[in-house]
Amino acid sequence: MTQSKHIYIVLTGTGTAFSGFIRLFTRANLNHASIAFDPELREVYSFGRKKMYNPFVAGLIRENFVDPFYNSANCAIYQLKVSPEEYDTMYNHVQGMMKHQDRYKYHLLGLVGVLFNIKIDRENAYFCSHFVASVFEETQNTPVNKPSCFVTPEDFALSLYHHKIYSGKLCYYLRKINYNAAHSDKIIMTSGTSRIMRDINEQAEEAVI
């Protein structure tokens, strides 16, 4: 039997002024969408700012969620089961785009099109949720039943509600998942370790939005 794999959709909200501006179009608190190919969120891709503190230089990026910029970010993480073939198709598609990363631009006009339900084409241009949805369009596994150019982060949240594996502070998730990965070879937890994990879980629960 062929073992399935997982793709992750990550929605984030950083609380910046530009994030607030994007919210006018997406109508969501978590208004940035990314696609990740591992549960530790080490390989994460989207369309966003190329320089952390300059929202006006944007395009195709590999995101670094351990950057201090994301310290206070809220997130929701959705896990989707895919076949190995679908996983490879999506991963290879993104890597092919990354080889020509500078070709791709942020499609701000596309967001205006979403607001008025008008498709605005621009070559090699995407906004974040448009990009994520377009990667899934490379397969038959499309999580939102609408063209990728109209998909918003909120569409992912509504369509994938039952696939949500985490909601809260992004930094708490990373702390928890990396701790678990580092200790996955241990069968029995000590009482001290259990207490640490319980504290992390409680912090995450307090941060759930």
Side-chain angles (χ1 to χ4, degrees):
M1 180 181 294
T2 303
Q3 188 171 7
S4 61
K5 303 185 77 170
H6 293 99
I7 298 287
Y8 301 84
I9 292 177
V10 185
L11 306 184
T12 51
T14 57
T16 63
F18 188 71
S19 178
F21 171 73
I22 297 298
R23 191 181 306 153
L24 296 176
F25 302 96
T26 62
R27 301 172 184 176
N29 290 322
L30 301 180
N31 48 53
H32 180 68
S34 310
I35 185 169
F37 292 93
D38 63 293
E40 295 82 17
L41 307 185
R42 293 172 182 155
E43 281 211 61
V44 188
Y45 302 90
S46 188
F47 270 68
R49 59 184 76 199
K50 291 187 174 182
K51 298 182 178 180
M52 284 300 180
Y53 299 97
N54 185 350
F56 301 104
V57 179
L60 175 62
I61 56 172
R62 178 173 175 174
E63 293 186 291
N64 177 17
F65 282 157
V66 300
D67 189 282
F69 177 80
Y70 295 100
N71 280 351
S72 61
N74 292 312
C75 77
I77 301 172
Y78 304 85
Q79 178 180 272
L80 288 84
K81 184 181 295 185
V82 298
S83 70
E85 293 77 16
E86 288 173 325
Y87 182 98
D88 290 343
T89 295
M90 287 188 275
Y91 183 79
N92 291 336
H93 176 70
V94 172
Q95 294 309 308
M97 293 179 70
M98 289 296 293
K99 288 180 181 178
H100 306 284
Q101 185 177 5
D102 291 339
R103 289 183 185 175
Y104 297 95
K105 308 299 179 186
Y106 192 88
H107 195 9
L108 190 57
L109 279 178
L111 287 173
V112 177
V114 171
L115 190 62
F116 295 101
N117 199 34
I118 299 172
K119 184 178 181 179
I120 301 177
D121 286 320
R122 183 184 171 199
E123 187 177 8
N124 294 332
Y126 300 80
F127 52 88
C128 62
S129 50
H130 175 196
F131 163 70
V132 173
S134 74
V135 175
F136 278 90
E137 284 182 339
E138 294 297 309
T139 72
Q140 298 300 312
N141 189 349
T142 52
V144 178
N145 187 26
K146 63 169 64 174
S148 60
C149 63
F150 293 127
V151 174
T152 69
E154 186 67 5
D155 288 327
F156 287 128
L158 294 173
S159 297
L160 300 176
Y161 178 80
H162 295 294
H163 296 270
K164 185 189 292 185
I165 61 170
Y166 177 81
S167 180
K169 290 294 182 183
L170 177 59
C171 63
Y172 294 161
Y173 173 83
L174 294 175
R175 187 186 307 170
K176 178 181 177 181
I177 195 72
N178 287 307
Y179 185 94
N180 287 347
H183 293 77
S184 61
D185 58 331
K186 294 185 178 180
I187 299 175
I188 301 176
M189 284 187 175
T190 65
S191 60
T193 301
S194 299
R195 184 171 61 252
I196 291 171
M197 291 304 300
R198 185 170 62 251
D199 290 343
I200 292 173
N201 287 329
E202 289 174 354
Q203 287 177 318
E205 289 172 1
E206 291 173 358
V208 172
I209 52 175

